[in-house]
Amino acid sequence: MRRASRSALMWPEEASAVQESGRRLTELRSVGPFTAHFIAEWLRAAPEPPVPPPLRHGFITYAQARVVLEAHPEWREAARADHQMHTDETDGSSTIEEMAAAAAEIGRERIAITDHSKTLRITNGMDEARLVAQGEHIAAIKAGGSEIAVLRGIEMDLTPEGAGDMDPERLAELDLVLGAFHSKLRLRDDQSDRYVRGLENPDIQVLAHPRGRIYNFRVGLSCDWQRVARRAAETGTALEIDSYPDRQDLDIERLRIIAAEGAWVSIGTDAHTPSELVFLDIGIAAAILAGVPRDHILNVLSAPELAERVGLIRATKKGHSNEGSTIWQGVSASASTRRRGSRADPASSDVRTEVDSVPTRPAPGAASLRTSGSKPRTPRRKG
Ligand SMILES: [Zn+2]
């Protein structure tokens, strides 16, 4: 049942739709006869759904996301690009070519390859030499006439002090640099200072999976999101929507604050297999539902526009440009009128419960999901 509850985030359609079309509920991932019996009962006489605990609060399903996107065709342009994914260079299942082919098949025009950096040994993170070699590989793919644009990126580990672990000169050669916290993710006190330091890191343009939450496993960090969003808008650093079904990080509630403060957003699937690339829809739907303006989504930009913006963020953070700050301030006037009165994130109060009692073992069946290479993986503690 626990496994089905997680898989339900990834079902492509609602259980009710499966039943209405006369098919078996056991077609749905992780639903056996036992669980199917319960679902059928709930569909027959719908019970009042319980309020989800913080560990499961604020997630939408892939089926819901698809419905939202169908109602907003103008947002399809956000689906042209996927700005986070991993390959077999680190902890992904597949090659760059395989990820690119799968992304092209579902209509992407651009992907960023963002494998892990060296500190994250559990993911076989790359050092500078491997990053350079990967760059040569991507250049060869380009020269060979790739169907879609393949950007050189990285998901660089950030210390809680906001420092990266890679040579800035190597990072400057990349098309897009994500920074992400992977340690001390269970601290309960306000982490605003950590976020501000991360956003100010001169070498990153995107702060990936900011909260570090994982469905039913880890509730994630808390902070004053208004303050963090404001600093993101000032530095130009985009906050990510990691669309992986059991991350969804940032979530709709926080994205509303991001939108109000005029910060930019980058959307990525964090896919570790080709089959996970479809979940970009979850991130796009979250942006729509939160009211993030389309012109503040990096994915909507064309490749040259993205390159320009990345250059602007780099220049401004290094203090070489005054031009950038005026561009980013463009929306802050309207944003300030919409600012929330409260300084603290009201959502963070429900986030301070029992994180340490969460079981740390993967869900049953996770190992087989992990190795199949075609199905979503178990919740990750790292990466
Ligand atoms: Zn990560």
Side-chain angles (χ1 to χ4, degrees):
M1 197 71 87
R2 198 185 183 88
R3 214 174 122 202
S5 118
R6 176 178 172 254
S7 291
L9 295 173
M10 307 172 200
W11 294 342
E13 54 188 328
E14 300 289 348
S16 56
V18 171
Q19 196 185 49
E20 277 161 25
S21 66
R23 287 172 292 147
R24 290 173 187 279
L25 290 169
T26 49
E27 275 183 19
L28 295 166
R29 179 177 301 153
S30 307
V31 175
F34 177 78
T35 305
H37 170 77
F38 276 97
I39 296 174
E41 281 298 305
W42 293 331
L43 291 174
R44 201 175 49 77
E48 191 61 35
V51 175
L55 274 175
R56 297 195 293 272
H57 174 78
F59 289 86
I60 59 173
T61 67
Y62 178 44
Q64 287 171 330
R66 293 179 63 180
V67 171
V68 171
L69 257 69
E70 269 166 38
H72 293 85
E74 73 280 9
W75 272 82
R76 285 310 327 177
E77 60 178 346
R80 75 200 311 187
D82 184 336
H83 286 167
Q84 193 196 156
M85 67 188 62
H86 301 272
T87 73
D88 58 4
E89 179 63 35
T90 59
D91 61 346
S93 70
S94 307
T95 63
I96 298 171
E97 290 89 339
E98 287 164 345
M99 295 303 274
E105 206 165 294
I106 56 172
R108 306 280 178 263
E109 298 168 22
R110 171 173 86 232
I111 57 171
I113 302 297
T114 58
D115 276 312
H116 294 284
S117 64
K118 60 191 172 192
T119 301
L120 221 50
R121 295 226 176 84
I122 196 168
T123 66
N124 186 28
M126 299 178 291
D127 61 11
E128 284 81 354
R130 283 170 59 200
L131 178 65
V132 168
Q134 186 181 61
E136 287 162 5
H137 185 177
I138 291 174
I141 291 172
K142 263 184 210 165
S146 171
E147 229 179 308
I148 60 172
V150 179
L151 301 188
R152 286 189 65 195
I154 192 168
E155 181 189 349
M156 177 170 69
D157 188 54
L158 295 178
T159 67
E161 291 71 42
D165 65 345
M166 300 293 279
D167 180 352
E169 284 189 28
R170 296 285 84 79
L171 297 173
E173 296 165 358
L174 303 182
D175 300 307
L176 190 65
V177 179
L178 279 53
F181 298 117
H182 295 104
S183 53
K184 299 196 177 167
L185 296 177
R186 290 182 184 272
L187 298 182
R188 298 186 198 193
D189 53 327
D190 182 291
Q191 296 294 303
S192 301
D193 291 341
R194 177 202 298 223
Y195 284 110
V196 166
R197 288 190 299 261
L199 292 166
E200 290 173 350
N201 182 306
D203 301 315
I204 73 162
Q205 296 91 47
V206 177
L207 186 66
H209 54 66
R211 295 177 65 193
R213 73 166 183 169
I214 291 177
Y215 182 80
N216 221 12
F217 171 73
R218 188 175 58 219
V219 82
L221 299 171
S222 59
C223 69
D224 175 347
W225 286 102
Q226 192 179 34
R227 180 184 158 205
V228 170
R230 204 173 296 160
R231 196 69 194 121
E234 287 162 2
T235 57
T237 308
L239 291 158
E240 190 187 47
I241 308 178
D242 183 317
S243 312
Y244 198 84
D246 49 21
R247 282 193 181 266
Q248 301 192 32
D249 180 7
L250 291 172
D251 56 304
I252 295 166
E253 221 166 291
R254 281 143 189 96
L255 286 168
R256 288 201 179 104
I257 304 171
I258 306 314
E261 295 300 328
W264 279 69
V265 164
S266 176
I267 309 176
T269 55
D270 199 356
H272 286 64
T273 69
S275 66
E276 291 167 356
L277 293 166
V278 297
F279 296 131
L280 195 73
D281 287 0
I282 292 178
I284 299 172
I288 294 171
L289 294 171
V292 179
R294 259 181 300 158
D295 63 5
H296 276 57
I297 309 269
L298 289 182
N299 306 59
V300 170
L301 301 179
S302 67
E305 287 167 344
L306 178 68
E308 192 182 330
R309 175 141 194 98
V310 166
L312 203 54
I313 299 169
R314 281 180 169 139
T316 300
K317 283 214 241 179
K318 286 171 186 164
H320 295 154
S321 166
N322 300 320
E323 187 195 1
S325 58
T326 54
I327 289 172
W328 293 320
Q329 298 308 330
V331 291
S332 61
S334 61
S336 63
T337 61
R338 283 179 281 141
R339 261 171 204 161
R340 294 183 171 194
S342 139
R343 286 191 54 78
D345 172 4
S348 65
S349 59
D350 66 3
V351 167
R352 296 163 196 260
T353 50
E354 293 186 33
V355 282
D356 295 322
S357 66
V358 177
T360 53
R361 274 187 300 139
S368 60
L369 289 176
R370 176 69 189 91
T371 50
S372 73
S374 62
K375 289 179 181 169
R377 307 156 66 246
T378 182
R380 291 181 303 282
R381 265 146 310 290
K382 294 287 179 183

